[in-house]
Amino acid sequence: MDLSITQLAKQYSLNVETLRYYERIGLIPEVPRRANGNRFYDEKLQKWIEMIVCLRHSGVEVKSLIEYVDLIKKGDETLEARKEILQEQERQLSEKKKNLDISINRLKHKINLYETGEIKNNKSYYEEYEIEKDIINKKA
C-alpha cells in the first residue's frame, strides 16, 4: 500500500522535514509524486526508508549513510565496501561504549563515596582515575 509522507513519517516516528532532508541529500531515491504534487511511497521505498531508519538508530552517521547508499546503488560489487563501512561504525560505537562504561563506573564510585561519607577524605580522584592518562590518550 502506498503511503503519503505524513503516513510514512508517523509509521517510522520521523519528522516530515527529516524525510524531505533525507531525500534532498540523496539518502532516499527520488520519490514519485501524484498529479497534485504530493509524494507517495510504495513498498520498495518504504523498505528503503526502514533500512535508513534502522541504520540511523544504530548510530550510523549521515555522512557514512550517504556513502553506504551510494555503494548500494552501484550494486553487488560493493558488498565488501558496504560491510567495511558497517564494521567501522561498529568499531566507533564499541569505543564510545567503552568510554561510557568507564564514565558510568567513575560516577557510581563517586556516588558511593557520598553514600559512605568517604567524600570528606579529600582524596585525589584525578590521580586515582588516571584522568591525565585518559586526556593524553584522547589527544593521540
Side-chain angles (χ1 to χ4, degrees), residues 1 3 8 11-12 14 18-32 40-57 62 64-76 78-79 82:
M1 177 173 84
L3 297 178
L8 188 73
Q11 179 173 327
Y12 291 106
L14 294 171
T18 300
L19 285 168
R20 289 184 180 128
Y21 170 71
Y22 285 173
E23 183 181 353
R24 199 168 43 253
I25 64 171
L27 284 181
I28 301 172
E30 188 173 335
V31 179
F40 70 93
Y41 298 82
D42 60 17
E43 285 188 40
K44 186 176 177 182
L45 273 174
Q46 291 173 43
K47 292 292 182 194
W48 185 275
I49 291 163
E50 186 174 304
M51 172 197 66
I52 298 296
V53 169
C54 288
L55 289 172
R56 284 292 294 137
H57 281 274
V62 171
S64 296
L65 263 178
I66 291 169
E67 182 181 357
Y68 185 80
V69 163
D70 287 344
L71 289 170
I72 289 174
K73 291 174 183 176
K74 291 178 181 173
D76 286 349
T78 66
L79 288 172
R82 286 185 259 163

Coordinates of all heavy atoms in Angstrom, one line a residue, residues 1 3 8 11-12 14 18-32 40-57 62 64-76 78-79 82:
M1 N 0.8 -1.2 0.0 CA 0.0 0.0 0.0 C 0.9 1.2 0.0 O 1.8 1.4 0.8 CB -0.9 0.0 1.2 CG -1.8 1.2 1.3 SD -3.0 1.2 2.7 CE -2.0 1.7 4.0
L3 N 2.0 5.0 0.8 CA 1.8 5.9 1.9 C 2.1 7.3 1.5 O 3.0 7.6 0.7 CB 2.6 5.5 3.1 CG 2.4 4.1 3.7 CD1 3.4 3.9 4.8 CD2 1.0 4.0 4.2
L8 N 4.0 8.0 6.3 CA 5.3 7.3 6.4 C 6.0 7.9 7.7 O 6.6 7.1 8.4 CB 6.1 7.6 5.2 CG 7.4 6.8 5.1 CD1 7.1 5.3 4.9 CD2 8.3 7.4 4.0
Q11 N 4.6 6.3 10.7 CA 4.9 4.9 10.8 C 6.3 4.7 11.4 O 6.5 3.8 12.1 CB 4.8 4.3 9.4 CG 5.2 2.8 9.4 CD 4.9 2.1 8.1 OE1 4.0 2.5 7.3 NE2 5.7 1.2 7.7
Y12 N 7.2 5.6 11.0 CA 8.6 5.4 11.4 C 9.0 6.4 12.5 O 10.2 6.6 12.8 CB 9.6 5.4 10.2 CG 9.4 4.2 9.4 CD1 8.8 4.3 8.1 CD2 9.8 3.0 9.8 CE1 8.6 3.2 7.4 CE2 9.7 1.8 9.0 CZ 9.0 2.0 7.8 OH 8.8 0.8 7.0
L14 N 9.2 9.6 12.5 CA 10.1 10.6 11.9 C 9.3 11.9 11.7 O 8.1 12.0 11.7 CB 10.6 10.2 10.6 CG 11.5 9.0 10.5 CD1 11.8 8.6 9.1 CD2 12.8 9.3 11.2
T18 N 12.5 15.7 8.2 CA 13.6 14.7 8.1 C 13.5 13.9 6.9 O 14.5 13.7 6.2 CB 13.6 13.8 9.4 OG1 13.7 14.6 10.5 CG2 14.7 12.8 9.3
L19 N 12.3 13.4 6.5 CA 12.2 12.7 5.3 C 12.5 13.5 4.0 O 13.2 13.0 3.1 CB 10.8 12.1 5.1 CG 10.4 10.9 6.0 CD1 8.9 10.7 6.0 CD2 11.2 9.7 5.6
R20 N 12.1 14.7 4.0 CA 12.4 15.6 2.9 C 13.9 15.9 2.9 O 14.5 15.9 1.8 CB 11.7 17.0 3.0 CG 10.2 16.8 2.8 CD 9.5 18.2 2.8 NE 8.1 18.0 2.6 CZ 7.1 18.5 3.4 NH1 7.4 19.2 4.4 NH2 5.9 18.3 3.1
Y21 N 14.6 16.0 4.0 CA 16.0 16.2 4.1 C 16.7 15.0 3.6 O 17.7 15.1 2.8 CB 16.4 16.5 5.5 CG 17.9 16.5 5.8 CD1 18.7 17.5 5.3 CD2 18.5 15.5 6.5 CE1 20.1 17.5 5.5 CE2 19.9 15.5 6.7 CZ 20.7 16.5 6.2 OH 22.0 16.4 6.5
Y22 N 16.3 13.8 4.0 CA 17.0 12.6 3.5 C 16.8 12.5 2.0 O 17.8 12.0 1.3 CB 16.3 11.4 4.2 CG 16.7 11.1 5.6 CD1 16.1 10.1 6.3 CD2 17.7 11.9 6.3 CE1 16.4 9.9 7.7 CE2 18.0 11.6 7.6 CZ 17.4 10.6 8.3 OH 17.7 10.4 9.6
E23 N 15.7 12.9 1.5 CA 15.5 12.9 0.0 C 16.5 13.9 -0.7 O 17.1 13.6 -1.6 CB 14.1 13.2 -0.3 CG 13.8 13.1 -1.8 CD 12.3 13.4 -2.1 OE1 11.5 13.6 -1.2 OE2 12.0 13.5 -3.4
R24 N 16.5 15.1 -0.1 CA 17.4 16.1 -0.7 C 18.8 15.8 -0.7 O 19.5 16.1 -1.7 CB 17.1 17.4 0.2 CG 17.5 18.7 -0.5 CD 17.0 19.9 0.2 NE 17.2 20.0 1.7 CZ 16.2 19.8 2.6 NH1 14.9 19.7 2.1 NH2 16.4 19.9 3.8
I25 N 19.3 15.1 0.3 CA 20.8 14.7 0.4 C 21.1 13.4 -0.3 O 22.2 13.0 -0.3 CB 21.3 14.8 1.8 CG1 20.7 13.7 2.7 CG2 21.2 16.2 2.4 CD1 21.3 13.5 4.1
G26 N 20.1 12.7 -0.8 CA 20.3 11.5 -1.6 C 20.2 10.2 -0.8 O 20.6 9.2 -1.3
L27 N 19.8 10.3 0.4 CA 19.6 9.0 1.2 C 18.4 8.2 0.7 O 18.4 7.0 0.9 CB 19.5 9.3 2.7 CG 20.7 9.7 3.4 CD1 20.4 9.9 4.9 CD2 21.8 8.6 3.3
I28 N 17.5 8.9 0.2 CA 16.3 8.2 -0.4 C 16.3 8.5 -1.9 O 16.4 9.6 -2.3 CB 15.0 8.8 0.3 CG1 15.0 8.7 1.8 CG2 13.7 8.2 -0.3 CD1 13.9 9.4 2.5
P29 N 16.0 7.4 -2.6 CA 15.9 7.7 -4.1 C 14.8 8.6 -4.4 O 13.9 8.9 -3.5 CB 15.6 6.3 -4.6 CG 16.0 5.3 -3.6 CD 15.9 6.0 -2.3
E30 N 14.8 9.1 -5.6 CA 13.7 10.1 -6.0 C 12.3 9.5 -5.7 O 12.0 8.4 -6.0 CB 13.8 10.4 -7.4 CG 12.9 11.6 -7.8 CD 13.1 12.0 -9.3 OE1 14.2 11.8 -9.8 OE2 12.2 12.6 -9.9
V31 N 11.5 10.3 -5.0 CA 10.2 9.9 -4.6 C 9.2 10.3 -5.6 O 9.1 11.5 -5.9 CB 9.9 10.5 -3.2 CG1 8.5 10.1 -2.7 CG2 10.9 10.1 -2.1
P32 N 8.4 9.4 -6.1 CA 7.4 9.8 -7.1 C 6.3 10.7 -6.5 O 6.1 10.7 -5.3 CB 6.8 8.5 -7.6 CG 7.2 7.5 -6.6 CD 8.4 8.0 -5.8
F40 N 4.4 10.1 -2.8 CA 3.9 8.8 -2.3 C 5.0 7.8 -2.3 O 5.9 7.8 -3.1 CB 2.7 8.4 -3.1 CG 3.0 7.9 -4.5 CD1 3.3 6.6 -4.8 CD2 3.0 8.8 -5.6 CE1 3.6 6.2 -6.1 CE2 3.3 8.4 -6.9 CZ 3.6 7.1 -7.2
Y41 N 4.9 6.9 -1.3 CA 6.0 6.0 -1.0 C 5.4 4.6 -1.2 O 4.6 4.1 -0.4 CB 6.5 6.1 0.4 CG 7.1 7.5 0.6 CD1 6.3 8.6 0.9 CD2 8.5 7.7 0.5 CE1 6.9 9.9 1.1 CE2 9.0 8.9 0.7 CZ 8.2 10.0 1.0 OH 8.8 11.3 1.1
D42 N 5.9 3.9 -2.2 CA 5.5 2.5 -2.5 C 6.2 1.6 -1.5 O 7.0 2.0 -0.7 CB 5.7 2.1 -3.9 CG 7.1 2.1 -4.4 OD1 8.1 2.2 -3.5 OD2 7.4 2.1 -5.6
E43 N 5.9 0.3 -1.6 CA 6.5 -0.7 -0.6 C 8.1 -0.7 -0.7 O 8.8 -0.8 0.3 CB 6.0 -2.1 -0.8 CG 4.6 -2.2 -0.3 CD 4.1 -3.6 -0.3 OE1 4.9 -4.6 0.0 OE2 2.9 -3.8 -0.6
K44 N 8.6 -0.6 -1.9 CA 10.0 -0.6 -2.1 C 10.7 0.6 -1.4 O 11.7 0.4 -0.7 CB 10.4 -0.6 -3.6 CG 11.8 -0.7 -3.9 CD 12.0 -0.8 -5.4 CE 13.5 -0.9 -5.7 NZ 13.8 -0.9 -7.2
L45 N 10.1 1.8 -1.6 CA 10.6 3.0 -0.9 C 10.5 2.9 0.6 O 11.3 3.3 1.4 CB 10.0 4.2 -1.4 CG 10.6 4.9 -2.6 CD1 9.7 6.0 -3.1 CD2 12.0 5.3 -2.3
Q46 N 9.4 2.3 1.1 CA 9.1 2.1 2.5 C 10.2 1.2 3.1 O 10.7 1.5 4.2 CB 7.8 1.5 2.8 CG 6.6 2.4 2.4 CD 5.3 1.8 2.5 OE1 5.0 1.0 3.4 NE2 4.4 2.1 1.6
K47 N 10.6 0.1 2.4 CA 11.6 -0.8 2.9 C 13.0 0.0 2.9 O 13.8 -0.2 3.8 CB 11.7 -2.0 2.0 CG 10.5 -2.9 2.1 CD 10.5 -3.6 3.5 CE 9.3 -4.5 3.6 NZ 9.1 -4.9 5.0
W48 N 13.2 0.8 1.9 CA 14.5 1.6 1.8 C 14.6 2.5 3.0 O 15.6 2.6 3.7 CB 14.5 2.4 0.5 CG 15.7 3.1 0.3 CD1 16.1 4.4 0.7 CD2 16.9 2.7 -0.5 NE1 17.3 4.7 0.3 CE2 17.8 3.7 -0.4 CE3 17.1 1.5 -1.2 CZ2 19.1 3.6 -1.1 CZ3 18.4 1.4 -1.8 CH2 19.3 2.4 -1.8
I49 N 13.5 3.2 3.3 CA 13.5 4.1 4.4 C 13.6 3.4 5.8 O 14.3 3.8 6.7 CB 12.2 5.0 4.4 CG1 12.3 6.0 3.2 CG2 12.0 5.8 5.7 CD1 11.1 6.6 2.8
E50 N 13.0 2.2 5.8 CA 13.1 1.4 7.0 C 14.6 1.1 7.3 O 15.1 1.1 8.4 CB 12.3 0.1 6.9 CG 12.3 -0.8 8.1 CD 11.4 -1.9 7.9 OE1 10.2 -1.7 7.6 OE2 11.8 -3.1 8.1
M51 N 15.4 0.7 6.2 CA 16.8 0.5 6.3 C 17.5 1.7 6.8 O 18.3 1.6 7.7 CB 17.4 0.1 4.9 CG 18.9 0.0 4.9 SD 19.6 0.0 3.3 CE 19.2 1.6 2.7
I52 N 17.2 2.9 6.3 CA 17.9 4.1 6.7 C 17.6 4.4 8.2 O 18.5 4.7 9.0 CB 17.4 5.3 5.8 CG1 17.8 5.1 4.4 CG2 17.9 6.6 6.4 CD1 19.2 5.1 4.1
V53 N 16.3 4.2 8.6 CA 16.0 4.5 10.0 C 16.7 3.5 10.9 O 17.2 3.9 11.9 CB 14.4 4.4 10.1 CG1 14.0 4.4 11.6 CG2 13.7 5.5 9.4
C54 N 16.7 2.3 10.5 CA 17.4 1.3 11.4 C 18.9 1.6 11.5 O 19.4 1.5 12.6 CB 17.2 -0.1 10.8 SG 15.6 -0.8 11.0
L55 N 19.5 2.0 10.4 CA 21.0 2.3 10.5 C 21.2 3.6 11.3 O 22.2 3.6 12.1 CB 21.6 2.4 9.1 CG 21.7 1.1 8.3 CD1 22.1 1.3 6.9 CD2 22.7 0.2 9.0
R56 N 20.3 4.6 11.2 CA 20.5 5.8 12.0 C 20.3 5.5 13.4 O 21.1 5.9 14.3 CB 19.4 6.8 11.5 CG 19.8 7.5 10.3 CD 21.0 8.5 10.3 NE 20.8 9.6 11.2 CZ 21.7 10.0 12.1 NH1 22.8 9.5 12.2 NH2 21.4 11.1 12.9
H57 N 19.3 4.6 13.8 CA 19.1 4.2 15.2 C 20.2 3.3 15.7 O 20.4 3.2 16.9 CB 17.8 3.6 15.4 CG 16.6 4.5 15.4 ND1 16.2 5.1 16.6 CD2 15.8 5.0 14.4 CE1 15.2 6.0 16.3 NE2 15.0 5.9 15.0
V62 N 25.1 10.3 9.3 CA 24.5 10.6 8.0 C 25.6 10.6 6.9 O 25.4 10.0 5.8 CB 23.8 12.0 8.0 CG1 23.4 12.4 6.6 CG2 22.6 12.0 8.9
S64 N 28.3 8.7 6.7 CA 28.5 7.4 6.4 C 27.4 6.7 5.6 O 27.6 5.9 4.7 CB 28.9 6.6 7.6 OG 30.1 7.0 8.2
L65 N 26.2 7.1 6.0 CA 25.0 6.6 5.3 C 24.9 7.0 3.9 O 24.6 6.2 3.0 CB 23.7 7.1 6.0 CG 23.1 6.1 7.0 CD1 21.9 6.8 7.6 CD2 22.7 4.8 6.4
I66 N 25.3 8.2 3.6 CA 25.4 8.7 2.2 C 26.3 7.8 1.4 O 26.0 7.4 0.3 CB 25.8 10.2 2.1 CG1 24.6 11.0 2.7 CG2 26.1 10.6 0.7 CD1 25.0 12.5 2.9
E67 N 27.5 7.6 1.9 CA 28.5 6.7 1.3 C 27.9 5.3 1.1 O 28.0 4.7 0.0 CB 29.8 6.7 2.1 CG 30.9 5.8 1.5 CD 32.1 5.8 2.3 OE1 32.2 6.5 3.4 OE2 33.1 5.1 1.9
Y68 N 27.3 4.8 2.1 CA 26.7 3.4 2.1 C 25.6 3.3 1.0 O 25.6 2.4 0.2 CB 26.1 3.1 3.5 CG 25.6 1.7 3.6 CD1 26.4 0.7 3.9 CD2 24.2 1.5 3.6 CE1 25.9 -0.6 4.1 CE2 23.7 0.2 3.8 CZ 24.6 -0.8 4.0 OH 24.1 -2.1 4.2
V69 N 24.7 4.3 0.9 CA 23.7 4.3 0.0 C 24.2 4.4 -1.5 O 23.8 3.8 -2.4 CB 22.7 5.5 0.3 CG1 21.8 5.8 -0.9 CG2 21.8 5.2 1.5
D70 N 25.2 5.3 -1.6 CA 25.9 5.4 -3.0 C 26.4 4.0 -3.4 O 26.3 3.6 -4.6 CB 27.0 6.4 -2.9 CG 26.4 7.8 -2.9 OD1 25.2 8.0 -3.2 OD2 27.2 8.7 -2.6
L71 N 27.0 3.3 -2.5 CA 27.5 1.9 -2.8 C 26.4 1.0 -3.1 O 26.5 0.2 -4.1 CB 28.4 1.4 -1.6 CG 29.7 2.1 -1.4 CD1 30.3 1.7 -0.1 CD2 30.6 1.9 -2.6
I72 N 25.3 1.0 -2.4 CA 24.1 0.2 -2.7 C 23.7 0.4 -4.1 O 23.4 -0.6 -4.9 CB 23.0 0.4 -1.7 CG1 23.3 -0.1 -0.3 CG2 21.7 -0.2 -2.2 CD1 22.3 0.2 0.7
K73 N 23.6 1.6 -4.5 CA 23.2 2.0 -5.9 C 24.1 1.4 -7.0 O 23.7 1.2 -8.1 CB 23.0 3.5 -6.0 CG 21.9 4.1 -5.2 CD 21.9 5.6 -5.3 CE 20.9 6.2 -4.4 NZ 20.9 7.7 -4.4
K74 N 25.4 1.2 -6.6 CA 26.3 0.6 -7.6 C 26.2 -0.9 -7.7 O 26.8 -1.5 -8.6 CB 27.7 1.0 -7.2 CG 28.0 2.5 -7.4 CD 29.4 2.9 -6.9 CE 29.5 4.4 -7.1 NZ 30.8 4.9 -6.5
G75 N 25.5 -1.5 -6.8 CA 25.3 -3.0 -7.0 C 26.1 -3.9 -6.1 O 26.9 -3.4 -5.2
D76 N 26.0 -5.2 -6.4 CA 26.6 -6.2 -5.6 C 28.2 -6.2 -5.5 O 28.8 -6.7 -4.6 CB 26.2 -7.6 -6.0 CG 24.7 -7.9 -5.6 OD1 24.2 -7.1 -4.8 OD2 24.2 -8.9 -6.1
T78 N 29.8 -3.9 -4.6 CA 30.2 -3.1 -3.5 C 29.9 -3.7 -2.1 O 30.0 -3.1 -1.1 CB 29.5 -1.7 -3.6 OG1 28.1 -1.9 -3.4 CG2 29.8 -1.0 -4.9
L79 N 29.6 -5.0 -2.1 CA 29.2 -5.7 -0.9 C 30.3 -5.6 0.2 O 30.0 -5.3 1.3 CB 28.8 -7.1 -1.2 CG 27.5 -7.4 -1.9 CD1 27.4 -8.9 -2.2 CD2 26.3 -7.0 -1.0
R82 N 30.6 -2.0 1.6 CA 29.5 -1.7 2.5 C 29.7 -2.4 3.8 O 29.4 -1.8 4.9 CB 28.1 -2.2 1.9 CG 27.7 -1.4 0.7 CD 26.3 -1.8 0.3 NE 26.4 -2.6 -0.9 CZ 25.5 -3.4 -1.4 NH1 24.4 -3.5 -0.8 NH2 25.7 -4.0 -2.6

